[in-house]
Amino acid sequence: MIDTLQVKITENSNPRLASTEFKDIAFGKIFTDHMFMADFEDGEWKNLQILPYGPIPMSPAISALHYGQAIFEGMKAYRLPNGEVSVFRADKNFERFNISADRMSMPVLPEEVFMQGVAALIGIDKGWVPTQENYALYLRPVMFATESSLGVKPSETYKFIILASPTGPYYTKALKVKIETKYTRANEGGVGYAKTAGNYARSLYPFAEAQKEGFDQLIWTDSATHTLIEESGAANVMFVLDGKLITPAVGETILNGVTRDTIIVLAKNKGITVEERKVTVNEIIAGAKNGTLTEAFAVGTAATVTQIGEIGYDGELYQLSESTTRIISTGIAKELSDIRNGLVEDRFGWNWVV
Ligand code: PLP
Ligand code: COI
């Protein structure tokens, strides 16, 4: 049983909800009227509160800025047909948050702080959960080190904040992706499995280089040999090869995606053969050449299910099948969307009605 915590509430006296245009909102640009915040001090989490979304005073010496002790999560709340709001698989994001915290030498966050923070924020900003198809309220829990100290050591103090941002699809078209064979996102012994800020910082330069070549996104390969496929941008990647759904097995260098796990469950349930294993660049390119690669797609909370239309590798561009022919991924994407939006039975108990 989770204890009920005291959450202090300070309402926003200048709410923006009524004046916000919900059409065509870009990912992560608009935030709701409130945020949830808690402080880690003297070895415990305290000062749980809902307050107006806005700047918070900080010392320029906080260690998150200098040494990168910062982790985050991403999940979505959906509007159900009866008007209620449901958050998708928040328990998995909570679990992963503490896996990231552990790797970055940050304190464990109690489940009740995470869950009641989400519930309190949705409680006050429920009106911000979009009703349009393919829209949701993106929830962004973040924890960062707040000690003003330039010594390289774990901070003694932290802040945990949850932001909420109404959003539509992160990508609106099939992607042209480049299999990256120079830069890497992660390496064995590193922090690839943690959702930590530096993983995203290091991806920006290679991403910009690929964009200059006309690509929308990267497919990361292993740092030792560049022969194994890992992820695609800030999403996991899946393929349909010879009728089987294949995806790289998660490990130290791959984020254990909630969407990935969800799609694997749905696919197996439909009787589709799923292989979680090492996926070689060679087999994907061979499949693209001989037509046995019938589908390729990126999966993530922000990305949802995004089709990959073209793959660039070693100076060649491989055109994949039309998105309309992709029965497996589009079928699963539809089922997933229907579960999240409460249009079909939530057979696996994934929706948490807040
Ligand atoms: N891989 C990376 C690097 C990500 O940032 C994300 C996004 O969260 C994912 C994979 C997909 O994970 P999830 O489905 O839990 O959002
Ligand atoms: C998410 O899907 O929640 C992510 O974290 C991707 C984000 C970095 C755009």
Side-chain angles (χ1 to χ4, degrees), residues 96 185 195 200 231 233-236 255 257-260 299-301:
R96 192 171 63 190
R185 194 194 79 90
K195 212 162 160 57
Y200 299 82
E231 304 197 45
N236 294 109
L255 194 81
V258 179
T259 318
R260 175 188 178 281
V299 304
T301 299

Side-chain angles (χ1 to χ4, degrees), residues 80-94:
L80 303 178
N82 64 5
E84 286 183 319
V85 172
S86 140
V87 182
F88 190 72
R89 302 194 78 181
D91 54 326
K92 298 290 277 183
N93 295 89
F94 166 69

Side-chain angles (χ1 to χ4, degrees), residues 260-305:
R260 175 188 178 281
D261 179 77
T262 304
I263 288 177
I264 290 172
V265 171
L266 293 178
K268 286 184 177 166
N269 221 264
K270 280 176 180 288
I272 296 164
T273 304
V274 178
E275 291 181 358
E276 294 177 71
R277 58 165 171 83
K278 285 187 164 59
V279 177
T280 67
V281 173
N282 280 348
E283 67 180 316
I284 295 306
I285 296 304
K289 282 182 181 162
N290 68 21
T292 52
L293 179 72
T294 49
E295 309 192 24
F297 50 103
V299 304
T301 299
T304 62
V305 174

